Each structure stands twice: as structure tokens, then as C-alpha cells.
Amino acid sequence: MSVDYAASLSPYENKGKCGVAEIFDDASSVKEKSHQLAEMIKSSSHVVVHTGAGISTSAGIPDFRGPKGVWTLEKRGESVMTDVTFETAQATLTHRALLTLHKAGYVHYIISQNVDGLHLRSGFPRSSLSELHGNMFVEKCEKCSEERILSCPVPVIGKKRTGSVCSTRKLRGTCRGLMRDTVLDWEDDLPEPDFERACQNSKRADLSLCLGTTLQIVPAGNLPLQALKQPNGRLVICNLQPTKHDKKATLLIHTYVDDVMKHVLDYLGLADSPTEKCDTSVEDSQCQNSQTDSLQAVPSSEPTVSAGSSDTAAGGGVDKAAVCFHTPAKRSSDSPGEDSPAGKKEYKSE
């Protein structure tokens, strides 16, 4: 499946500031700032990382508002040209570094706006990850809310039925509920369990680290500010373009995120580790059958995106199978947070 899934989204006018010139700190400054970041990570009690499209560009997946981003090119009447697909894209140094930092006890939670699935396919645990805009490799049962992680992309986006049936075993047999994709279209609400966990962890954070995001999307773009409400709370932004929260940041780093994370690992004495395989629970053919059935079952009134090859593992060699995670079906009584009360996916140009 093409990484330009955005072409299948509904029309939307306000996509934020696009094509803003990139800023590059000199090499010595990057190293010094990266070491400052490493010290902050060491001294913090709850580190939450907020990731955007910029952490996946070195995997060949284009960003949205960079000089060659999807929305930037769209405004010029051009389209993205790349040979990379969601299936062939592999986790970047930054994805691997975040997994290493999590295993070492430094990074506690990730809040991502990306739908490419590279965090999960790098081996990062689902229980410590909120994917606010969905995942191209995840489908969710509309009946029991079970999630299934696939090794092939879902054939639809916008929380539509994929054509698959839930195989979760219950006390009185199999669920048999209909599965839906988890990727948001413009008008869709954020997934409640992921959003609530994102808000809870953002409120606990004494260090918010933003990697590869212009923070233009709300409510995701405002969550990092929660750390500043903590005593000695800090906000670090690493991005090539300016963001709307730069003036509030404790530290700004303008360079490629992979370079920063390499310096951080070196400073902390941690080695870059290879991606890990996800745990799997069903046979290879099940993913292929799920994809084929989905393409046949989608009503013609619902837009579809073309499905990619189901025989190519992505992001570190995920097995041809799926594994289920359960998420609550209803919103908890906790408030979603004052900076983002609506829980809607919106873009704001400032």
C-alpha cells in the first residue's frame, strides 16, 4: 500500500502552515544540546515522548508540511513520489532508540500522531503507546473492542468495516463482531482509550519530548504543555521547522531526529538495538484472507485504498499473523484534559 494514504482522506481545507523553511543547528550545537537532553532524561521521573511524521522520513515515508511534504506538494499541484510502501518501510534509528530507552527505564510513554505502525513493529509495547490517529496495521472489533495487529495494512481508512470478523473467544463461543480500521479521517473523533491514556500520562510527565512534529494538530499538539505544569517540568522540541510552542520550550533542537537520538544513546551508554518481532497468535494465511475478504466486502459507497502485498514483512520482520489487545469500550470518568476537551482531530493554522 502506498504511504500516501492521505490521498484517500476526505477533502479538508485548513491543513496548517506548509513548506516553512527548515532550520539546521551546527553539528557541535546538536551534540551539546543532545547531551543536555540526555541529562534531562536521566533526571526525570516520567518521560513522555510525542512523535510526528518527522521520525519516519528516514524510512522513506514523507511528512506532511515539510518542503517536500504531502500537503506542501498538494498545494503546488504535485504528488509524493516514493517507492516505499507501508509494508516495506522499516523502523528508523529513532524508533529503535525509543524502544531501547523504554527498556532501560528512561522513556515511559509514547504519544504518536503517526499511522505507519512503526512504533509497534519496532517492538514497542502497546500498553505504553497511544496512537491518536490510528494505525494502518490495526483493526478493531465494533462489538467487543478487541484490537488485532496485522502484518498487512487494512484496505480502508476512516473507521470503516474491513470485512474481517472478530475471532476472539468468549465464554459462550466466538465474538464474531465486525472489524473496523482505526485510521481517522478528518471528521472522526480520537480513539477514547488511547486519548485518555495520553492525557493521563501527559499530566504525569515532568519531561515532554517532541520529535518530528510541528504540533499544529490539536488536541495532540497541546498535550506536551502539560509537563510545564509540574514543578521543574520541562519541554524539549526537536524539529526542523518552527512550532507554535517554541517560545515555551526549555530546549530547542533543529536537526534530524535520528542524529539527536544517536547522541542520546551514546551519552547514556546504550547501544542501538535491532527491532523485535511482535508476538503472534494466528497463521500466516489469516492475514492474507482477512485482506482479501475485506476488499470484497467493502460497500462501493465507501472509499477504499489499494491493499499492498501481503507477503512482505515490514519494520523489522513482523510475522504473518496478528495479536489481540483489549481496550475499554466506554470512556472513563476521568476528564480528557483542559487543553483538549473535545477529543476531536482538528488542524489549526496559527
Side-chain angles (χ1 to χ4, degrees):
M1 178 183 291
S2 168
V3 293
D4 187 17
Y5 85 97
S8 299
L9 296 173
S10 302
Y12 193 81
E13 291 299 322
N14 185 15
K15 294 174 180 174
K17 296 179 181 178
C18 300
V20 177
E22 295 178 335
I23 306 169
F24 289 90
D25 295 336
D26 62 71
S28 61
S29 177
V30 168
K31 186 174 183 179
E32 179 183 350
K33 290 180 178 180
S34 298
H35 291 174
Q36 291 178 37
L37 170 59
E39 283 293 338
M40 291 183 193
I41 291 174
K42 284 176 60 178
S43 63
S44 298
S45 61
H46 196 74
V47 177
V48 175
V49 181
H50 303 258
T51 64
I55 74 165
S56 296
T57 53
S58 61
I61 299 176
D63 59 24
F64 291 94
R65 299 173 187 81
K68 297 182 180 179
V70 174
W71 305 139
T72 305
L73 293 177
E74 180 185 76
K75 287 187 175 183
R76 300 205 298 254
E78 303 175 21
S79 57
V80 172
M81 302 295 292
T82 178
D83 295 330
V84 175
T85 65
F86 280 119
E87 296 94 321
T88 60
Q90 297 191 15
T92 67
L93 187 152
T94 296
H95 291 97
R96 301 193 305 271
L98 292 174
L99 174 62
T100 299
L101 290 169
H102 177 74
K103 291 166 64 177
Y106 289 119
V107 166
H108 302 89
Y109 203 81
I110 290 179
I111 300 171
S112 183
Q113 302 173 52
N114 298 340
V115 303
D116 53 39
L118 290 178
H119 280 305
L120 283 182
R121 289 183 284 152
S122 74
F124 203 89
R126 179 69 174 93
S127 59
S128 299
L129 170 68
S130 281
E131 295 181 304
L132 296 185
H133 301 161
N135 186 322
M136 293 297 299
F137 293 84
V138 173
E139 57 183 1
K140 183 174 181 178
C141 178
E142 62 183 30
K143 182 178 179 181
C144 73
S145 297
E146 203 80 16
E147 287 185 352
R148 189 165 69 163
I149 301 173
L150 305 171
S151 58
C152 51
V154 291
V156 292
I157 61 173
K159 294 185 175 181
K160 299 180 178 66
R161 289 175 176 172
T162 64
S164 299
V165 176
C166 181
S167 58
T168 303
R169 295 193 178 279
K170 303 295 182 180
L171 291 177
R172 297 186 178 181
T174 305
C175 173
R176 304 295 296 172
L178 300 179
M179 305 296 285
R180 289 180 178 268
D181 79 276
T182 62
V183 180
L184 304 191
D185 204 339
W186 294 106
E187 69 275 9
D188 292 322
D189 291 345
L190 297 178
E192 292 182 355
D194 282 75
F195 184 49
E196 288 169 1
R197 290 196 303 271
C199 291
Q200 291 164 5
N201 279 275
S202 294
K203 289 178 181 178
R204 289 182 58 193
D206 55 353
L207 173 59
S208 288
L209 172 58
C210 304
L211 299 175
T213 171
T214 57
L215 302 173
Q216 292 189 55
I217 190 170
V218 293
N222 291 332
L223 290 177
L225 299 180
Q226 293 290 329
L228 298 178
K229 298 180 181 180
Q230 297 283 354
N232 301 315
R234 291 166 291 192
L235 169 64
V236 176
I237 300 175
C238 176
N239 198 57
L240 287 173
Q241 294 174 304
T243 81
K244 63 180 182 181
H245 295 319
D246 282 1
K247 293 182 179 179
K248 300 174 184 178
T250 311
L251 178 66
L252 288 174
I253 311 176
H254 295 295
T255 192
Y256 297 110
V257 290
D258 284 354
D259 294 343
V260 172
M261 298 313 294
K262 185 179 186 307
H263 285 309
V264 168
L265 290 184
D266 290 344
Y267 187 86
L268 295 175
L270 299 173
D272 176 20
S273 58
T275 55
E276 300 177 355
K277 289 185 178 181
C278 294
D279 292 334
T280 58
S281 59
V282 296
E283 298 298 327
D284 295 0
S285 60
Q286 204 156 332
C287 178
Q288 297 172 353
N289 292 339
S290 170
Q291 188 172 356
T292 302
D293 293 343
S294 300
L295 286 168
Q296 295 173 346
V298 174
S300 59
S301 60
E302 294 187 347
T304 64
V305 290
S306 59
S309 171
S310 59
D311 59 1
T312 304
V318 179
D319 289 340
K320 295 295 180 186
V323 59
C324 294
F325 291 87
H326 183 71
T327 53
K330 295 183 180 180
R331 182 189 296 271
S332 73
S333 60
D334 292 339
S335 168
E338 65 185 53
D339 288 321
S340 47
K344 297 273 189 179
K345 179 185 179 186
E346 300 176 5
Y347 282 90
K348 185 177 181 181
S349 179
E350 296 181 340

